[in-house]
Amino acid sequence: MDMDDQRQEELADFCRAEYPKLVRLLSLYCGDRATAEDLAQETLARVWQRWDRVGGLDAPDRWARRVALNLGASWFRHRRAARQARSSTPITPASQVDATAGAEDGFRAMVTGLAPRQRAVLLLRFHEDLSVIDTARLMGIREGTVKALTAQAVDALRKRDGTTIQETARGLDQPGEPGRSDETSARGG
């Protein structure tokens, strides 16, 4: 197997491994699985186009998550613009979503209606179990901004639903404990 074949096989393996993770992250971010699948495919197309550079990164999966969240934010901007153009109704608030839905549906419903950066921070911190430092790097913002966005989002959730992120995130089948200290999360346990 020559070098080109090996690089292509690495890329194919990366895409096969990351696609389901991206779909899950984007499903929670966007609230729609079909859109999440489209955005995950677009993310992996961009990875494919830039694999020579992305494949050499320390964490190409983090690069892909950042692209995915950027695409999700763009999708929300386009959706909002289209909604304003046709004067349709806004997204259903979390309080009107079926309370018997699974934990992941509950998490998705909970973050619906938050500002895009708040939603992204909560998903990365509590769903993806990233530390403040890793979340800041992935989003390209300062650690203090991550902390502020987290606090703002949690405060908004408390005011809106009377619930906490930890209560909902506990039901997800992700490893680790939501709300762990940054030192513990950074060490991986």
Side-chain angles (χ1 to χ4, degrees):
M1 181 181 288
D2 68 6
M3 187 59 98
D4 285 340
D5 290 340
Q6 183 180 357
R7 296 282 291 166
Q8 282 201 334
E9 188 60 34
E10 288 173 9
L11 173 57
D13 290 343
F14 176 83
C15 290
R16 277 190 290 273
E18 288 303 310
Y19 180 76
K21 296 174 190 175
L22 291 170
V23 168
R24 185 168 185 194
L25 175 68
L26 289 164
S27 290
L28 291 170
Y29 186 74
C30 296
D32 178 59
R33 182 159 177 96
T35 299
E37 289 172 352
D38 289 346
L39 294 175
Q41 289 175 5
E42 177 62 26
T43 298
L44 293 177
R46 292 180 184 199
V47 167
W48 193 277
Q49 291 170 343
R50 295 164 182 83
W51 186 247
D52 288 340
R53 183 174 61 91
V54 174
L57 296 174
D58 290 337
D61 59 319
R62 300 270 169 98
W63 187 89
R65 283 186 191 141
R66 182 172 184 172
V67 168
L69 290 173
N70 287 344
L71 288 170
S74 180
W75 175 80
F76 271 107
R77 281 192 301 274
H78 289 118
R79 184 175 177 183
R80 182 174 47 241
R83 187 172 50 239
Q84 289 172 347
R86 64 179 188 268
S87 300
S88 67
T89 59
I91 297 173
T92 303
S95 60
Q96 295 177 7
V97 175
D98 182 8
T100 62
E104 196 164 286
D105 289 338
F107 195 89
R108 180 184 305 122
M110 183 178 59
V111 299
T112 298
L114 291 176
R117 289 192 338 155
Q118 290 176 351
R119 186 172 43 251
V121 164
L122 290 185
L123 288 170
L124 293 171
R125 292 282 293 125
F126 296 99
H127 181 266
E128 296 288 315
D129 200 28
L130 296 182
S131 68
V132 169
I133 295 167
D134 289 339
T135 301
R137 285 183 187 144
L138 193 143
M139 292 182 69
I141 59 179
R142 295 176 186 256
E143 294 171 37
T145 305
V146 170
K147 293 175 186 178
L149 288 168
T150 301
Q152 292 164 6
V154 169
D155 187 49
L157 293 174
R158 281 188 190 126
K159 287 179 183 174
R160 184 184 74 196
D161 298 332
T163 187
T164 65
I165 187 80
Q166 287 86 1
E167 290 170 355
T168 304
R170 249 183 234 122
L172 296 174
D173 59 343
Q174 292 296 307
E177 299 172 31
R180 293 189 309 178
S181 73
D182 295 327
E183 291 176 14
T184 305
S185 290
R187 287 194 311 259

